[in-house]
Amino acid sequence: MTEQLALLPGYLTAHLQLSLSALLVGIAISVPVGVLVSRIPRFEQPVLAIASVIQTIPSLALLAIMVPLLAALGLPSIGFLPAFFGLVLYSLLPVLTNTVTGLATVDPAAREAARGVGMTDLQQLRRVELPLAMPVIVGGIRTATVWTVGAATLSTPVGATSLGNYIFTGLQTRNLSAVLMGCVACAVLALVLDGLVRLAGLGIVQRRRRMLALALAVLASLFAYAGYSWGRQLLESGSAEFVVGAKTFTEQYILSELLVDQVEALSGTSAKVSQSLGSTVAFDALRTDQIDAYVEYSGTVWSSLMRRREPPPARPLVLQAVKEYLRTEYGIAVVASLGFENAYALAVRRDLAERLGLGKISDLRKVAPGLNIGGDYEFFGRPEWRALVDTYGLHFASRRTMDPSLMYQAASRGDVDVISAFSTDGRIEALDLLVLADDRGAIPPYDALILASPGAQRRFPAALVAMARLDGQITPEAMRRMNRAVDSDGQSPARVAADFLRSLRRSDSPSQAPAEPAPGIAR
């Protein structure tokens, strides 16, 4: 818990920056638009319909949509910007709807009286209609506040730091204290902001100036702090810092911490991790120089990027083809092949395998119609799943998509019969699962590769040389031990990575001697 508390100031500050800025812009858009459509009734239904459609899009999907849209416009497509735009859109409906509703419920007699004393339309709006509609408008702002603070936790997969970092990493690494910390901190922040908005609304409606002044003073302080910390971060971002990306599973958290430690220790370059990126987000961030490096798998490049559908050739040939493709198409360098393969695999409980006589994937064909299969978020949409279906003729009774951190437990408990496991996952051995052999070679090899962006090759040659010294240094057994230390033993990815590097350096490996840059790395 001490480690989680140390992360709280940074995560909370980032969450506050994101939530407050999105809310401010959302309110600045919604209230004027609400006033406008209340004056022009024919616009009311179309505008509210558009806002309603936006609201029906799941918040995580809305944030993800921002990534390709911003990339197409040539804007930063990961980090603060996509999360900000997504949250602004998500905050519009409650404020817009309540503004229109509040103005529509103003007593016509009040409007008539205002016109009777000679008020202009603007004076009538400012002095009569908005004050009378304020309780309803404030209700919409309160709803938007709670929604935005909650939805901001989902900005982590698009590269924006938030309290969601606690939740995503905690779920993947089975760290319940991290999940609890993220949930509690988010709930407290939402309650505080909601209370301040409510207090300000009461101050306006009841004409209690001290109450209004207090609420506005606290809100102004929070905005000032968010603005100051944001400005300071922008100034500091001008300094060279090496950014390592990590996808949303345990192995990636460990390897990203390992790369950061290696870069800082051997090159003297300041480095940090950008956590829990979606798979396509991570690659897009790399090719556009928004991150400098991350660990990718040769099979992912082969299937998802190169879109190769034929049976994969030998492992060295796939690796060579992947290197050439990344270099020629995107200018991305393969800095090192870490030495292990983490392939997609199908796994079952050992007792079920013994009962049904399962040892290889082809054995599943006859029994699959009576079994249930579980997969991670991506699996059933990936080429590997189609290759398995086409190669082996597999047809299961049902398919269930679930969080990878829960998938292994589901198989162990018998909630599903087969899962799409990862071959280096420590939970396979810990839960006594059996990996079925891919006897027809449907799934391509998945060598773990360190990729470096085009910009990193120019700006951080020493960092890339430091990472190149990890070439071939991690065995499959070592990676499984590291994964198990996090998933089953409750150690943090940073600690596991640091322990591995210490043991590697103590062994006085020749790879720690001065090395030339890996092929394709700019000197």
Side-chain angles (χ1 to χ4, degrees), residues 40 63 81 127-128 201 209 218 225 230 256 258 321 361 365-366 396 405 430 463 500 503:
I40 310 175
L63 293 171
L81 207 57
R127 297 182 181 181
V128 177
R209 293 185 178 180
V218 177
Y225 171 72
W230 193 9
S256 61
L258 192 149
I361 297 178
R365 181 172 182 176
K366 293 183 179 179
F396 290 89
S405 64
F500 174 80
S503 66

Side-chain angles (χ1 to χ4, degrees), residues 131 134-135 198-209 211:
M134 190 56 64
R198 176 179 176 275
L199 201 64
L202 287 175
I204 294 172
V205 173
Q206 299 176 5
R207 299 180 183 276
R208 298 170 64 176
R209 293 185 178 180
M211 180 184 293

Side-chain angles (χ1 to χ4, degrees), residues 208-232:
R208 298 170 64 176
R209 293 185 178 180
R210 289 185 179 180
M211 180 184 293
L212 176 61
L214 175 62
L216 292 179
V218 177
L219 284 170
S221 298
L222 292 176
F223 273 102
Y225 171 72
Y228 166 75
S229 56
W230 193 9
R232 188 176 65 179

Side-chain angles (χ1 to χ4, degrees), residues 272-295:
K272 69 175 184 179
V273 175
S274 181
Q275 289 183 333
S276 301
L277 301 177
S279 184
T280 57
V281 171
F283 183 79
D284 286 343
L286 186 79
R287 68 179 179 83
T288 57
D289 289 317
Q290 295 178 75
I291 61 174
D292 297 301
Y294 81 106
V295 174

Side-chain angles (χ1 to χ4, degrees), residues 88-111:
V88 167
L89 292 174
Y90 203 63
S91 70
L92 295 178
L93 181 63
V95 183
L96 179 59
T97 301
N98 281 37
T99 301
V100 173
T101 302
L103 291 173
T105 57
V106 173
D107 191 342
R111 291 194 177 96

Side-chain angles (χ1 to χ4, degrees), residues 410-497:
S412 177
R413 293 193 304 263
D415 298 330
V416 292
D417 303 304
V418 185
I419 60 168
S420 61
F422 302 105
S423 60
T424 56
D425 200 299
R427 287 168 291 192
I428 293 174
E429 180 181 351
L431 297 174
D432 197 28
L433 302 179
L434 176 68
V435 174
L436 302 179
D438 181 15
D439 51 311
R440 297 181 184 175
I443 299 176
Y446 270 76
D447 287 288
L449 310 174
I450 303 175
L451 306 187
S453 72
Q457 296 170 57
R458 297 188 302 271
R459 296 183 292 118
F460 299 104
L464 270 60
V465 170
M467 293 190 300
R469 293 173 180 172
L470 292 170
D471 190 81
Q473 293 300 306
I474 305 177
T475 64
E477 294 75 21
M479 195 68 248
R480 276 192 286 271
R481 285 195 299 270
M482 287 191 279
N483 285 331
R484 184 170 181 175
V486 174
D487 290 327
S488 300
D489 301 339
Q491 297 183 40
S492 71
R495 176 182 171 184
V496 170

